[in-house]
Amino acid sequence: MPYSEKQIKELEHIAKRIRYRIVQMISCAGSGHPGGSLSAADLVTALFFTSLRFDPKRPDWPDRDRFHMSKGHCCPLWYAVLAEAGYFPIDGLKSLRKLGSCFQGHPDRRTPGVEVPSGSLGQGLSVALGMSLAAKIDKKDYRVYCLLGDGEIQEGNIWEAAMASAHYACDNLCAILDYNGFQIDGRIKEVMSLEPLVDKWRAFGWHTIDIDGHNMQEILAAYDEAKTIKHKPAIIIAKTIKGKGVSFMENIVDFHGRAPTKEETEIALRELKD
């Protein structure tokens, strides 16, 4: 469906607010992963506020769509979106990574809205596949979305799950790849190149959608397209910028897993302020 300029602007406004909170949270914690949290903010914002079926007052609603963040180290993004969606008060986000907080450095089920713990890379697509098959067995119409990191898909388990998802014709499953080009050890293409990535997923039997992961119109169109695909899973391969939205973090591998200093935080928040 076409989206109005007003709808696009509102989503972009929410995504910017989400980025602001990501920086705040990680700065308060003194540790965390800003780069990949910021790069996927547009993707997750668009999903939650246009395409995902959920009820924050009933996190265990049986007919909800499922979202799983396989790259669990980027959970500040997930927490910020869940707070924006009304699962819990926004003020609680500042307890990120504090002892006893439900907002841990990798997500677990103490956090309302989190389906399954994650963070051990390479396992998330298998989890999403299980949810997808459960829906088919139970004759439920909910959809399953799984956010993957690009360094993560160097893991063999991802490709086993990819093969099985196509074999079982999991057309209720949509993977979202945050293709920002960096992992903790450096550039993806230098550590272990993924290309030709679109061709690989197609060869594994997936419907592939290649987009600019910061173009809200393209993101929304991709989610709409994924819902129309029958008899095979879909993957949205979204080209993004590591650290998107904060000028000095963009495409800088050091911010994969480093919190900004106090001075850097002040600059970042000024850039992200509405």
Side-chain angles (χ1 to χ4, degrees), residues 101-121:
S101 171
C102 70
F103 305 116
Q104 289 299 298
H106 289 81
D108 64 40
R109 284 187 54 107
R110 286 180 295 172
T111 308
V114 172
E115 303 282 350
V116 182
S118 63
S120 185
L121 295 177

Side-chain angles (χ1 to χ4, degrees), residues 83-94:
E84 182 76 22
Y87 278 85
F88 37 74
I90 288 167
D91 287 348
L93 297 176
K94 292 181 180 179

Side-chain angles (χ1 to χ4, degrees), residues 140-168:
K140 295 283 189 177
D141 68 351
Y142 63 77
R143 293 183 57 76
V144 182
Y145 296 86
C146 182
L147 181 68
L148 302 168
D150 46 5
E152 175 181 24
I153 68 168
Q154 294 163 345
E155 302 272 358
N157 192 19
I158 290 289
W159 297 100
E160 182 179 359
M163 184 165 53
S165 300
H167 175 78
Y168 291 110

Side-chain angles (χ1 to χ4, degrees), residues 183-203:
Q183 59 193 107
I184 194 168
D185 294 323
R187 292 182 180 272
I188 297 288
K189 64 183 180 181
E190 295 169 357
V191 177
M192 186 182 294
S193 178
L194 302 173
E195 294 299 335
L197 191 55
V198 171
D199 292 340
K200 286 175 182 174
W201 282 94
R202 283 179 180 155

Side-chain angles (χ1 to χ4, degrees), residues 15-59:
K16 191 172 184 180
R17 190 159 65 232
I18 295 298
R19 288 187 167 97
Y20 187 96
R21 289 176 183 147
I22 288 168
V23 172
Q24 272 189 323
M25 293 163 64
I26 294 174
S27 177
C28 286
S31 63
H33 297 79
S37 298
L38 293 168
S39 65
D42 298 310
L43 298 168
V44 181
T45 296
L47 176 64
F48 267 77
F49 299 107
T50 66
S51 296
L52 202 69
R53 184 173 63 184
F54 64 89
D55 183 350
K57 295 180 181 177
R58 291 190 296 160

